[in-house]
Amino acid sequence: MVIINYLYIGIDDTDSPDGMCTTYLACHIIRKLKENDIDIVGYPRLIRLNPFARFKTRGNGGVSFKIINDEKADLAKKIVLDEVSALSMFDCDNTNPGVIFYDGEITSEMGDYAFRAIYEFITIDEAEEFGKSVGCEIHKFKKGRGIIGSIAAISLPLSDYTYELLAYRAPENYGTKRQIDYGSVIKMDKETFPDTFENVDYAENYIAIEPKTPCPVLYGIRANDDSILNNALDIVKVNEPIEDYCIFLTNQHTDMHIQKADNISQMKQYGCYEITSTVKDRPHVIDGGHMFFTVFDETGEIECGAYEPTKDFRAIVSHLRPGDIIKLYGGIGEQNTFNIEKFQVLELNDVEYKNPVCECGKRMTSAGKGKGFKCKKCGKRIKSSQKVSIKIDRFLNNGQFYETPVSARRHLSKPLCRM
């Protein structure tokens, strides 16, 4: 049996608001490698990390790929480092690339590290110490924060995964309006869904494959099946040149960031959780359009938020009532508020308690504490102070999931079409 050794390459933290992104850099490097007769093995991987990390790039993702570890490995390393040095926008404060080379087996210890990068917050020093301990060759640029995601990108085991095809613009078009034929995007969505998904948010009239930042990405198409992506590429029409495109294997839309918490007291700031709890108060809106309510269990309570960008999702949240038991999915941000990504109704409180109705048909009022009720219309009194239960109709349904719109969804959130 022939044993093939691989060289794993991880790259992260090259994003810049002025037009660079890690996936474009990886695509460019892969093309340079191919020009030198160095092919990568399988798809490159795009691994999204903790969406609530305190220091992160726009999408907070690292990229990795592997090649056969042969006599061209040193050339491959040189190409990678040269291209990171040439293309990264180092004048941006948040651009702190890190490159990792690793030529061993991916161990369970490395997998555990990767999950920590998704669940928690890892410092640069912690990442460097861990990388050295498992034999990584580490290259830091500026602060080198990218080594955190680079190690995670080569290490993360993927039991659930999706694919994303990213098409890239010619550099002279960066920052200009993207020339995408929206009608062709809708056609692509109707012909390829559910193999592709989250292409269009029809409720918001939002074309979700189009970025809203001045980055090199022209559009991105997400899929459960890689074989559908070239068909989708053919259907979408654009009126500007596509410099290149690349298909990534990714942990996007898998809920990989979500940890199951037994109770509220187990949850920590900057973590993402699934938690079952009871609604304490009615949702209310503050200035800016953000909606908040509180949930509780036997260990404590936490404020939950459905923010203005979630649009019509707030209207759904507004139908929650005290006593509803729900399963929430989301993460805890800087203000210690639980940011809702979706929720499932487990048990609706469909009973209201009201004053009894008098024989004359008028609803009675309290006659005073412990003095029963009285009717203002006919004067009748009753001694009992017990209110009567009334079954009410609810807008929400037991067992049903409700999610934020495509336009407000995080990269890692699993949409209902994948559940």
Side-chain angles (χ1 to χ4, degrees):
M1 183 177 69
V2 178
I3 299 176
I4 300 176
N5 292 320
Y6 296 110
L7 175 67
Y8 295 86
I9 300 168
I11 307 166
D12 189 20
D13 218 31
T14 62
D15 289 1
S16 162
D18 299 322
M20 179 51 61
C21 71
T22 304
T23 63
Y24 171 77
L25 178 58
C27 183
H28 182 82
I29 289 171
I30 290 168
R31 186 170 71 245
K32 286 282 187 181
L33 292 174
K34 191 170 185 177
E35 289 171 359
N36 286 273
D37 297 320
I38 303 171
D39 291 321
I40 72 168
V41 179
Y43 288 114
R45 301 183 355 143
L46 169 56
I47 303 301
R48 302 291 184 180
L49 308 179
N50 183 352
F52 289 95
R54 283 174 284 174
F55 304 102
K56 66 187 185 73
T57 52
R58 284 192 304 270
N60 209 30
V63 170
S64 71
F65 50 88
K66 63 183 180 181
I67 63 173
I68 294 176
N69 192 11
D70 57 16
E71 67 279 358
K72 289 193 174 183
D74 286 340
L75 174 59
K77 290 181 180 181
K78 183 178 186 306
I79 290 171
V80 170
L81 295 175
D82 285 350
E83 295 305 314
V84 171
S85 297
L87 295 179
S88 296
M89 295 184 173
F90 293 108
D91 55 344
C92 175
D93 289 342
N94 292 327
T95 298
N96 295 282
V99 174
I100 294 293
F101 300 117
Y102 178 76
D103 62 359
E105 290 293 320
I106 304 297
T107 64
S108 60
E109 182 185 18
M110 295 173 70
D112 291 343
Y113 167 93
F115 279 111
R116 271 197 65 207
I118 294 173
Y119 293 153
E120 302 173 14
F121 176 79
I122 296 175
T123 67
I124 300 170
D125 289 343
E126 287 173 328
E128 186 165 16
E129 182 179 352
F130 177 81
K132 289 178 178 177
S133 74
V134 296
C136 292
E137 181 183 328
I138 297 172
H139 295 267
K140 295 164 62 180
F141 299 78
K142 291 172 62 181
K143 295 179 182 178
R145 185 174 292 116
I147 65 172
I148 300 169
S150 298
I151 299 172
I154 68 174
S155 304
L156 182 69
L158 287 176
S159 56
D160 185 17
Y161 50 84
T162 62
Y163 299 89
E164 184 170 19
L165 182 150
L166 290 170
Y168 298 100
R169 315 183 76 185
E172 60 267 22
N173 290 323
Y174 293 178
T176 63
K177 178 175 172 54
R178 291 169 172 83
Q179 301 301 311
I180 300 173
D181 180 341
Y182 292 163
S184 71
V185 177
I186 292 171
K187 179 175 186 290
M188 180 273 293
D189 181 64
K190 293 185 181 301
E191 292 186 11
T192 62
F193 180 85
D195 293 326
T196 70
F197 57 93
E198 299 209 335
N199 302 307
V200 182
D201 185 336
Y202 293 100
E204 297 291 335
N205 194 28
Y206 176 85
I207 300 298
I209 73 169
E210 179 184 14
K212 298 299 180 281
T213 58
C215 65
V217 177
L218 178 58
Y219 62 77
I221 303 173
R222 307 163 185 87
N224 292 304
D225 182 356
D226 59 328
S227 65
I228 198 68
L229 284 171
N230 284 316
N231 183 33
L233 179 70
D234 290 338
I235 297 173
V236 174
K237 304 303 179 186
V238 298
N239 295 312
E240 65 174 271
I242 295 177
E243 183 188 70
D244 205 348
Y245 74 91
C246 192
I247 296 175
F248 291 89
L249 178 71
T250 175
N251 66 338
Q252 292 177 157
H253 308 298
T254 63
D255 270 355
M256 185 175 280
H257 61 314
I258 300 292
Q259 306 171 72
K260 289 188 177 181
D262 293 330
N263 52 59
I264 289 173
S265 67
Q266 286 185 354
M267 301 195 300
K268 299 177 181 178
Q269 190 177 28
Y270 306 118
C272 300
Y273 300 96
E274 170 194 316
I275 182 71
T276 297
S277 53
T278 303
V279 177
K280 180 180 179 180
D281 54 12
R282 282 183 177 273
H284 62 279
V285 177
I286 66 168
D287 290 344
H290 309 309
M291 178 172 285
F292 298 95
F293 64 98
T294 303
V295 296
F296 70 95
D297 63 16
E298 68 280 0
T299 68
E301 62 182 46
I302 190 168
E303 181 183 61
C304 301
Y307 292 90
E308 190 280 332
T310 63
K311 304 301 180 184
D312 288 348
F313 180 66
R314 294 168 300 162
I316 296 172
V317 170
S318 71
H319 289 282
L320 290 169
R321 296 171 53 88
D324 289 342
I325 300 174
I326 57 177
K327 184 182 290 183
L328 286 159
Y329 299 76
I332 303 175
E334 285 190 14
Q335 306 303 317
N336 280 305
T337 297
F338 191 82
N339 296 258
I340 308 171
E341 296 175 4
K342 57 178 171 279
F343 69 92
Q344 182 188 20
V345 175
L346 300 182
E347 184 179 338
L348 286 172
N349 174 19
D350 59 359
V351 174
E352 259 187 1
Y353 291 90
K354 292 189 174 182
N355 295 349
V357 176
C358 181
E359 293 173 354
C360 71
K362 178 78 172 177
R363 189 163 304 275
M364 305 180 85
T365 59
S366 173
K369 188 173 181 181
K371 294 182 180 180
F373 296 95
K374 63 182 178 181
C375 178
K376 288 185 176 180
K377 181 178 180 182
C378 68
K380 182 176 176 63
R381 290 175 175 266
I382 59 175
K383 293 182 178 180
S384 173
S385 296
Q386 187 171 356
K387 293 189 176 187
V388 294
S389 62
I390 300 173
K391 191 172 178 63
I392 57 173
D393 291 330
R394 297 292 305 275
F395 173 84
L396 305 174
N397 297 309
N398 281 320
Q400 188 165 333
F401 280 90
Y402 301 90
E403 65 182 346
T404 58
V406 174
S407 57
R409 197 161 299 151
R410 298 184 186 280
H411 288 106
L412 279 167
S413 294
K414 181 183 285 189
L416 300 187
C417 66
R418 293 201 71 240
M419 295 181 71

